[in-house]
Every structure is written in structure tokens, then in C-alpha cells.
């Protein structure tokens, strides 16, 4: 499991600047499909020795009239509970404040690593003035300039060294992990209980009962599974309880841990914008996906009802056109038995490998049938393709102009691979590399 690093501090001390610096200035996800682009206040960081999840707590402040210090205290308390390491960021230009002193006093009581960091130190004058932060009663603090990347590398060396000893340990590969995600009150816990055959999770009609992910090991058809019942992900404007902001993070961590994500939709309410956001998280994470339309027994139906619902899902989740759909009732048990059958199929596709010979046969036919558009006035030439990973299936394609491959042509190749090899329920990753790398 990835360790969590939380950045806490007053507004305007540079938390978001540091956040963007650590994730490589990737401020938003951009895709040609609706529902994938969104603002972010969390990110997975893979640029350092140990991958980790980064949280900008400033982005989690709900709309309220509370005092600044109370908001900071609550954020820091949440960070203490959820994070493995805390970065407490202060402003070197503004100097030491009363709020900094009070939060620092609380953080000193933590049994987890806390890094006291003074930001906006981009010159000798500010560096000299920063000595006042020793008044916090701490042994050491770091001076950085997140905007100019000054001191950030040295800080992160110490941060990653402070991660738990088992942070980089790979989890059991033979275990299939299933995350059950969705908005509050769509019936996730009831579905988990139905799949397991006993009351493992508390099922309650009041939205938001489950606040933490609950893991349950079980065996089905002689195969081992880990079922993860996550807290419901609310729309950002609806996150009024501060603890729920970290329930969202917990759910997102669960997606990262999973192989298969069950995206649960309330059949009575239909597809909502928040459903597309949740599905976008799973898509971005590269997880195998299954749409589970729950409470289907409560919907008035005719011969066209199921077809209309399928069309709605395919329209709203174009980026997950490969994901199968099942209609169930966790309450009555209707068709819930099909879920594990689908999960088993999905894992076969998620871990599928194709031979280089078969792959290049299909690849050659595809590029000869439909040539790539010109890039900067030059023809895009392709050499060969090879599969480099599974979970999800990932392919490297060698070309003379990797930056010249348009996303529409990438989508064309992806569809051709699916036509030939299946890959139902799983995203595919295509990576284009230049000719010079091919020769190495």
C-alpha cells in the first residue's frame, strides 16, 4: 500500500505550489472523454524512490464560517489519523504566526514523522530571517522555495526515508482485490454482505454509514479474493463533515489497491455526474471495471427499460465503453451471483498477455489499413509493438515521431487490439517511443 503524505498549513503558504511541484506540475487530468477532467487535491507520486499518495489538505476545506485556527487544527488532526508522514508548511516571508505556534504544538505530540518546512525562502535575506522559526521548540526545520524548486529535493529525500518499512513491499499477487465504490447510499455495504453471505458490513439507509474501507478475505471457486467496502464518495460541494473528506481519500486509496473496481449505481436515481467522477478515478488508475446497477428490483420496467439504461451508461461513460454491466438487487439477491463470474472473467482479461508475433500481425494490418495522419508535415512511421505489462495490459509502440501520434489514432489502435484480443473490462495503455530508444 502506498504511504500517504499530507501537506498542512495556513492558506497562502504555498501548499498547492508544493503539491504541484511534487507531482511534476501536473495540475489536472486532461482527456477527450467527458467526466475524466477534474480538479485534484490528491495525487499519486511516482517520481521518487518510493511511490506515495500526496494530499493537499487546503483543498479539503469545506464551506464554513469557522475560524482559521479551528480549520487548521481539524485538518492537522485528520492528517495525524490518515497520513504516514506530515509536511507542516509555513511562510518564510510572513514570518512565524500564532496559528503556526498552536498547530506546531499539537503536531509535536504526534508519533508519526512531521517535517516542519518554511516555504518562500528564495534568497539569503529570507534565509537569515527564518531562524525565528526555532521558537517553535523544534530541533530542525527545512527551508525551501516550492516555486523555484529550492531545497525540495533534499526535503523529499528525508520524507521518503521516513516512510514505514513495509511501504514498498509488494502485496500478494495471487490475491484478487475487489473494491466496491460509489456514491453514499447506493447499497455498497448491502452488496458486500450479499456477496459474502453474512453481515460483514453495517448496512444502514442513512447515507455515509461506512467511513473507512473494510477488508474481507474470502474464497470463491477455489480462488482467493479480498473484498474492499469503501466509504461513499460524495460530490465535493456536499462534503460538509470534515471526516468525510478523508473518507474520500480512503476510497481512492482502495481503488489504487484494487484489481477490479465494482462501480455501484443506484437504479432508482439513475446515472449522476458524481457517478462519472467516481468512474473517472477508476479509469485513471488503470483498473478493471464492472458497472453494478443496484436496486434494479425497485424500478418499474418494460421491454425497453434495460436497453435505455445501458444506452445511458454507454453515453455518460464513453471512456469505459469496455466495461460490462450487470443489473442486480442486493436486497433480494437478484443476479448478484453473476458478479463473481464477471470478476473472474475480468481478471483473466486484466492479466492477459499476447504473443509479440500475434500482436504485430494485428498491428501491421491496422497501420496498413489506416495510415496515421501527418505530423509536422512528415509521415508517422511505425516499426513494431510489444506488450510490456499487465494490470492493465500495456504496450510500447516504436515510431519515428512518438509526439506526432494523435489521440484519435491511438484510440483507433486500441480498438483494433480489442477486436483481435478482447481485453473486456480492462483499460489498455499504449506508450509511443522514438527510434533512438529502440536501438538501445
Amino acid at each position: 500500500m502506498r504511504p500517504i503524505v499530507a501537506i498542512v498549513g495556513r492558506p497562502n503558504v504555498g501548499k498547492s505550489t508544493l503539491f504541484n511541484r511534487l507531482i511534476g506540475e501536473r495540475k489536472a487530468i486532461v482527456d477527450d472523454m467527458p467526466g475524466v477532467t477534474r480538479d485534484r487535491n490528491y495525487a499519486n507520486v511516482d517520481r521518487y524512490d518510493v511511490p506515495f499518495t500526496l494530499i493537499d489538505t487546503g483543498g479539503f476545506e469545506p464551506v464554513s464560517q469557522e475560524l482559521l485556527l479551528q480549520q487548521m487544527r481539524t485538518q492537522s488532526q485528520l492528517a495525524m489519523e490518515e497520513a504516514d508522514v506530515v509536511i507542516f508548511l509555513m511562510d518564510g516571508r510572513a514570518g512565524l504566526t500564532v496559528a503556526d505556534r498552536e498547530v506546531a504544538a499539537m503536531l509535536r505530540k504526534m508519533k508519526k514523522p512531521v517535517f516542519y518546512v518554511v516555504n518562500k525562502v528564495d534568497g539569503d535575506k529570507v534565509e537569515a530571517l527564518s531562524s525565528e522559526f526555532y521558537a517553535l521548540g523544534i530541533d530542525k526545520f527545512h527551508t525551501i522555495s516550492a516555486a523555484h524548486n529550492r531545497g525540495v529535493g533534499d526535503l523529499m529525500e528525508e520524507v521518503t526515508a521516513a516512510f514505514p518499512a513495509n511501504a514498498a513491499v509488494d502485496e500478494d499477487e495471487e490475491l484478487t482485490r475487489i473494491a466496491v465504490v460509489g456514491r453514499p447510499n447506493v447499497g455498497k455495504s448491502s452488496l458486500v454482505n450479499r456477496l459474502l453471505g453474512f453481515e460483514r458490513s453495517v448496512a444502514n439507509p442513512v447515507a455515509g454509514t461506512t467511513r473507512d474501507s473494510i477488508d474481507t478475505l474470502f474464497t470463491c471457486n477455489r480462488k482467493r479474493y479480498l473484498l474492499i467496502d469503501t466509504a461513499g464518495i460524495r460530490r465535493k460541494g456536499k462534503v460538509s463533515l470534515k471526516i468525510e473528506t478523508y473518507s474520500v481519500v480512503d476510497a481512492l486509496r482502495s481503488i489504487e489497491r484494487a484489481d477490479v473496481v465494482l462501480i455501484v449505481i443506484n437504479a432508482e436515481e439513475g446515472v449522476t455526474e458524481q457517478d462519472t467522477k467516481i468512474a473517472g478515478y477508476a479509469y485513471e488508475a488503470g483498473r478493471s471495471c464492472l458497472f453494478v446497477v443496484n436496486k434494479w428490483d425497485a424500478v418499474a420496467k418494460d421491454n425497453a427499460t434495460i436497453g435505455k439504461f445501458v444506452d445511458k451508461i454507454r453515453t455518460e461513460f464513453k471512456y469505459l465503453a469496455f466495461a460490462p454491466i450487470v443489473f442486480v438487487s442486493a436486497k433480494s439477491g437478484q443476479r448478484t451471483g453473476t458478479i463473481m463470474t464477471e470478476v473472474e472473467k475480468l481478471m483473466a482479461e486484466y492479466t492477459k498477455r499476447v504473443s509479440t508475433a500475434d500482436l504485430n500481425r494485428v498491428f501491421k494490418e491496422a497501420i496498413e489499413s489506416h495510415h496515421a495522419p501527418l505530423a509536422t508535415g512528415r509521415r508517422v512511421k511505425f516499426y513494431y509493438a510489444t506488450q510490456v505489462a499487465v494490470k492493465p495490459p500495456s504496450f510500447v509502440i516504436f515510431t519515428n515521431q512518438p509526439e506526432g501520434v494523435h489521440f484519435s489514432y491511438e484510440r483507433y489502435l486500441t480498438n483494433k487490439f480489442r477486436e483481435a484480443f478482447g481485453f473486456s473490462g480492462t483499460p489498455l495503455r499504449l506508450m509511443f517511443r522514438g527510434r533512438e530508444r529502440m536501438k538501445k
Side-chain angles (χ1 to χ4, degrees):
M1 185 186 303
R2 289 174 180 256
I4 286 183
V5 177
I7 306 174
V8 302
R10 292 182 293 111
N12 302 317
V13 297
K15 297 191 299 297
S16 293
T17 303
L18 178 60
F19 178 87
N20 290 330
R21 173 68 64 186
L22 296 181
I23 65 176
E25 302 295 341
R26 185 177 175 219
K27 298 180 182 178
I29 302 163
V30 179
D31 197 289
D32 63 312
M33 297 296 184
V36 180
T37 302
R38 59 190 178 276
D39 294 332
R40 306 183 72 183
N41 43 27
Y42 80 99
N44 285 325
V45 181
D46 298 293
R47 305 170 62 225
Y48 299 93
D49 292 339
V50 182
F52 61 91
T53 296
L54 183 67
I55 303 170
D56 176 6
T57 57
F60 284 95
E61 292 184 15
V63 177
S64 71
Q65 301 299 319
E66 296 178 15
L67 297 175
L68 171 64
L69 184 57
Q70 186 175 349
Q71 290 178 330
M72 284 184 59
R73 185 180 296 114
T74 301
Q75 287 181 12
S76 301
Q77 288 171 339
L78 289 169
M80 282 191 285
E81 296 172 5
E82 299 293 335
D84 297 294
V85 175
V86 174
I87 295 176
F88 178 36
L89 202 63
M90 297 167 283
D91 187 338
R93 293 180 180 176
L96 185 61
T97 67
V98 174
D100 291 333
R101 290 176 182 271
E102 294 205 23
V103 175
M106 181 178 63
L107 292 174
R108 283 200 303 271
K109 300 175 182 178
M110 285 185 61
K111 295 182 180 179
K112 299 176 183 179
V114 178
F115 289 83
Y116 300 85
V117 181
V118 180
N119 189 29
K120 304 181 184 180
V121 180
D122 47 13
D124 293 339
K125 183 177 180 180
V126 183
E127 180 79 47
L129 294 174
S130 64
S131 59
E132 69 173 307
F133 287 89
Y134 278 115
L136 293 173
I138 55 179
D139 296 328
K140 179 181 180 180
F141 62 84
H142 292 261
T143 57
I144 69 167
S145 172
H148 298 94
N149 202 27
R150 178 183 182 273
V152 175
D154 292 339
L155 168 65
M156 294 313 297
E157 281 188 16
E158 295 194 28
V159 168
T160 54
F163 288 160
N166 62 348
V169 177
D170 291 333
E171 296 183 345
D172 186 356
E173 289 293 328
E174 295 182 0
L175 193 66
T176 297
R177 293 168 179 80
I178 307 169
V180 185
V181 304
R183 294 179 294 111
N185 210 29
V186 296
K188 296 185 301 298
S189 294
S190 296
L191 183 63
V192 167
N193 292 335
R194 177 66 64 174
L195 293 175
L196 296 174
F198 64 96
E199 295 292 320
R200 175 62 180 86
S201 303
V202 177
N204 190 310
V206 178
T209 301
T210 302
R211 292 204 183 276
D212 300 302
S213 294
I214 301 172
D215 292 3
T216 306
L217 286 165
F218 72 104
T219 301
C220 180
N221 295 328
R222 298 184 179 181
K223 294 183 179 179
R224 298 171 61 229
Y225 295 90
L226 179 70
L227 197 58
I228 308 166
D229 178 15
T230 64
I233 306 178
R234 293 179 181 269
R235 182 163 55 86
K236 187 175 181 181
K238 295 292 186 181
V239 182
S240 57
L241 296 176
K242 294 183 180 67
I243 189 66
E244 288 189 2
T245 63
Y246 274 86
S247 293
V248 173
V249 174
D250 190 57
L252 298 175
R253 286 186 76 183
S254 298
I255 289 174
E256 289 292 337
R257 294 169 54 206
D259 298 303
V260 178
V261 177
L262 307 187
I263 304 167
V264 185
I265 297 173
N266 187 333
E268 294 179 289
E269 298 178 1
V271 177
T272 70
E273 181 183 356
Q274 185 65 356
D275 290 324
T276 65
K277 301 268 186 176
I278 295 168
Y281 293 135
Y283 170 79
E284 179 209 338
R287 299 301 179 254
S288 189
C289 296
L290 173 66
F291 287 108
V292 179
V293 183
N294 190 28
K295 305 185 182 182
W296 191 241
D297 57 329
V299 175
K301 295 178 279 292
D302 57 30
N303 292 336
T305 305
I306 192 168
K308 290 179 179 177
F309 213 106
V310 169
D311 289 343
K312 180 67 173 177
I313 289 177
R314 293 308 182 205
T315 300
E316 297 296 328
F317 304 92
K318 290 181 179 178
Y319 51 92
L320 285 175
F322 52 79
I325 307 169
V326 296
F327 294 83
V328 306
S329 169
K331 182 178 180 180
S332 69
Q334 177 188 4
R335 293 184 59 79
T336 53
T338 63
I339 294 176
M340 291 309 299
T341 301
E342 290 295 330
V343 167
E344 190 171 341
K345 293 178 183 177
L346 291 175
M347 276 304 293
E349 299 297 304
Y350 194 52
T351 57
K352 178 186 288 185
R353 288 187 180 272
V354 296
S355 70
T356 301
D358 288 341
L359 177 64
N360 280 277
R361 173 181 53 80
V362 173
F363 179 53
K364 183 179 179 181
E365 292 174 356
I367 60 178
E368 289 180 350
S369 175
H370 177 50
H371 295 295
L374 295 178
T376 62
R378 298 168 55 205
R379 180 185 172 190
V380 178
K381 297 180 181 179
F382 295 103
Y383 303 107
Y384 72 92
T386 184
Q387 185 173 357
V388 294
V390 295
K391 297 185 176 182
S394 303
F395 305 87
V396 169
I397 297 174
F398 292 97
T399 174
N400 66 329
Q401 294 191 79
E403 70 286 347
V405 181
H406 195 267
F407 72 85
S408 61
Y409 197 78
E410 178 180 349
R411 187 164 52 197
Y412 163 75
L413 292 176
T414 299
N415 291 337
K416 286 297 183 181
F417 289 170
R418 289 192 187 280
E419 289 175 11
F421 306 115
F423 295 117
S424 173
T426 177
L428 301 184
R429 295 288 186 258
L430 271 58
M431 297 164 281
F432 298 91
R433 293 185 181 174
R435 195 172 190 177
E436 66 280 358
R437 295 189 182 183
M438 183 180 68
K439 293 180 179 179
K440 290 182 180 180

